[in-house]
Amino acid sequence: MNWMKFPKRYLIVILTFVSTCVCYIERVGFSIAYTVAADAAGINQSSKGTILSTFYYGYACSQVPGGWAAQKIGGRKVLLLSFVLWSSTCFLVPLDPYRVTSLVVTRLLVGVAQGFIFPSIHTVLAQWVPPHERSRSVSLTTSGMYLGAAMAMLVLPSLVKFKGPQSVFLTEAALGVMWSLLWFEYATEPPRSEHQKATAAGFGESLLPNKASQKIKVENGVSTVRTSKIPWKRILVSMPVWAIVVNNFTFHYALYVLMNWLPTYFELGLQLSLQEMGSSKMMPYFNMFIFSNIGGVLADHLITKRIMSVTKTRKFLNTVGFIVASLALMALPIFRTSGGAIFCSSVALGFLALGRAGFAVNHMDIAPRYAGIVMGVSNTAGTLAGIIGVDMTGKLLETAKAEYSDLSSPESWRAVFFIPGLLCIFSSFIFLLFSTGERIFD
């Protein structure tokens, strides 16, 4: 009986949280397994960067189509299809560093499939979650990424050591299939709210802008029907949307560079073994999990208690998160011990996660009806950051290796961490100038 009283929207949020957790186990898992296999085969850093960034080409291609598909046929169905596709593809990944074409094709396919996930999640949450719960719901859902990354950093190096790199992909595929079964069993279409204020904020509405989704307006007892259309032009020229886009780019540039190259930094930059580092190596991502949820709860508290407006809350948390993260990123190569590097990377990623309570929830503030579309647009920028950042980092390290003979000196890594640090400062000012917490798309 208690289970029957458990609000369905909470179950939906928990399942989306688990989905992001599983996705990031896959992404970090590939980085760990491929790094071990590539280093054993003597693959250079530039070539590693190219393979690691291939995922993001596919991911970028499906962001906006993912938002459109979620609006058109429903986020619930698209999310399920995405999981089935990437889980199936994981079974086919041939972890042979010399089979470059096969690796590129499978990573592209996984990227395309996973590109549908976050636009679908934002569409689902915009339908299920009322406005006063959105900050903490989105923060909890996205914090699954960081918990997944932490779990991957803790468990997968040992799995690679004892069972081999290929075992990582079989494990990831099995997790994806299990989540798909849970989502198929328990996820349903959202309720239609009868509360006028909730409906005005987009809660409980059908967000599908097709012929079946029409607005009905009653004037003087006469009903008129108007077909809803996606305001593409207004979205693409909106400065508040671009403020989100710029910050999404910076957030993911920093995250993807650290996620893909932190194992290399520990092993080649600091001469540490991931297996011997124990649980400490998961702390940067676990810190993201903690700070993401702190940011969500704090944002909802500031808004519901009327301490700050929605606009000021978003700007405050975004600015604090990005500025502190920038300082930690630029300080990271100075610390030459395991503890110092873990501390700096934990602060950087933790405060970046705090900043997500600013820009990452802002989609649903300004455009709850088109949250999946706006998320698709901004996440495309975030994915381009992965392509640029991960690949360029490999080239920076290859250049540094030629100049300094190896990658153990702090000078070899300074540019790697200074670039995202400076981007954080720039992005925080853009968000301060152009963002808003008001609804601007009906």
Side-chain angles (χ1 to χ4, degrees):
M1 292 298 294
N2 290 335
W3 171 253
M4 296 298 291
K5 294 179 181 178
F6 187 74
K8 188 60 178 282
R9 69 181 184 277
Y10 293 169
L11 178 60
I12 295 296
V13 171
I14 290 170
L15 287 173
T16 56
F17 162 79
V18 175
S19 76
T20 62
C21 184
V22 172
C23 284
Y24 269 67
I25 289 175
E26 190 282 326
R27 296 190 201 182
V28 175
F30 179 82
S31 174
I32 292 170
Y34 176 71
T35 295
V36 171
D39 287 346
I43 304 298
N44 65 40
Q45 303 306 314
S46 181
S47 298
K48 281 172 60 179
T50 300
I51 295 297
L52 290 171
S53 65
T54 299
F55 167 91
Y56 302 105
Y57 285 94
Y59 196 65
C61 291
S62 55
Q63 288 295 310
V64 174
W68 176 85
Q71 296 285 127
K72 192 75 173 176
I73 65 175
R76 180 178 65 90
K77 296 175 182 176
V78 174
L79 190 54
L80 177 61
L81 178 62
S82 173
F83 255 80
V84 171
L85 288 175
W86 79 252
S87 300
S88 302
T89 306
C90 268
F91 279 115
L92 307 176
V93 176
L95 195 57
D96 182 349
Y98 297 111
R99 297 176 63 185
V100 176
T101 302
S102 298
L103 273 174
V104 167
V105 170
T106 51
R107 291 309 292 166
L108 279 172
L109 289 174
V110 172
V112 169
Q114 288 202 15
F116 286 83
I117 289 175
F118 285 94
S120 300
I121 286 175
H122 275 250
T123 300
V124 169
L125 294 181
Q127 291 176 303
W128 272 98
V129 180
H132 65 279
E133 294 180 0
R134 281 178 180 163
S135 294
R136 58 181 179 268
S137 295
V138 172
S139 294
L140 177 62
T141 294
T142 55
S143 72
M145 301 187 299
Y146 321 132
L147 185 61
M151 291 169 64
M153 287 293 285
L154 179 64
V155 175
L156 295 185
S158 297
L159 184 63
V160 170
K161 181 179 180 180
F162 294 109
K163 296 293 184 179
Q166 193 68 46
S167 64
V168 170
F169 304 119
L170 299 177
T171 301
E172 293 165 353
L175 290 173
V177 169
M178 287 189 286
W179 183 90
S180 299
L181 293 174
L182 288 173
W183 186 253
F184 180 80
E185 178 68 23
Y186 294 109
T188 60
E189 294 298 336
R192 187 170 181 85
S193 176
E194 297 179 359
H195 193 286
Q196 291 181 354
K197 289 184 178 180
T199 301
F203 170 53
E205 291 184 83
S206 171
L207 304 183
L208 312 182
N210 52 33
K211 291 182 179 179
S213 177
Q214 298 176 324
K215 294 181 179 179
I216 300 177
K217 187 177 181 179
V218 180
E219 293 182 358
N220 300 322
V222 179
S223 297
T224 59
V225 179
R226 178 167 58 90
T227 302
S228 176
K229 294 181 180 179
I230 300 172
W232 286 106
K233 183 177 180 180
R234 288 182 58 213
I235 289 173
L236 294 176
V237 301
S238 168
M239 291 310 296
V241 169
W242 277 101
I244 296 172
V245 167
V246 170
N247 280 264
N248 204 326
F249 179 93
T250 294
F251 174 87
H252 284 98
Y253 186 102
L255 175 63
Y256 290 151
V257 165
L258 289 176
M259 189 169 68
N260 285 278
W261 288 103
L262 209 52
T264 302
Y265 179 64
F266 286 141
E267 294 199 335
L268 299 183
L270 301 179
Q271 305 293 307
L272 299 170
S273 168
L274 284 177
Q275 285 82 14
E276 294 173 2
M277 287 177 68
S279 61
S280 65
K281 59 182 175 287
M282 68 174 276
M283 287 309 298
Y285 301 109
F286 188 71
N287 212 40
M288 289 191 88
F289 169 72
I290 299 296
F291 273 73
S292 179
N293 286 291
I294 289 174
V297 172
L298 181 58
D300 280 346
H301 176 76
L302 292 173
I303 293 168
T304 56
K305 298 297 182 181
R306 300 184 183 277
I307 298 171
M308 288 184 179
S309 66
V310 176
T311 298
K312 289 182 178 179
T313 298
R314 302 292 180 230
K315 291 185 177 184
F316 170 70
L317 290 172
N318 197 85
T319 303
V320 171
F322 275 54
I323 294 297
V324 174
S326 72
L327 298 175
L329 283 165
M330 290 188 284
L332 183 53
I334 298 173
F335 292 86
R336 306 303 299 160
T337 64
S338 171
I342 291 292
F343 173 76
C344 261
S345 55
S346 296
V347 170
L349 290 177
F351 275 87
L352 277 174
L354 182 76
R356 284 189 68 92
F359 80 90
V361 192
N362 205 211
H363 307 86
M364 289 190 280
D365 296 327
I366 66 174
R369 180 178 289 276
Y370 307 108
I373 294 290
V374 178
M375 180 61 184
V377 171
S378 71
N379 228 30
T380 298
T383 308
L384 291 175
I387 295 171
I388 295 168
V390 175
D391 189 39
M392 186 170 69
T393 298
K395 291 177 171 58
L396 286 171
L397 290 175
E398 200 61 34
T399 302
K401 186 177 181 180
E403 183 176 352
Y404 300 108
S405 74
D406 62 23
L407 297 176
S408 61
S409 67
E411 290 78 14
S412 304
W413 292 87
R414 184 165 289 123
V416 170
F417 299 121
F418 262 61
I419 291 172
L422 294 174
L423 283 173
C424 283
I425 296 172
F426 171 75
S427 299
S428 65
F429 280 106
I430 294 295
F431 199 78
L432 277 174
L433 289 173
F434 298 112
S435 67
T436 180
E438 302 300 320
R439 181 172 180 171
I440 60 177
F441 295 101
D442 294 323

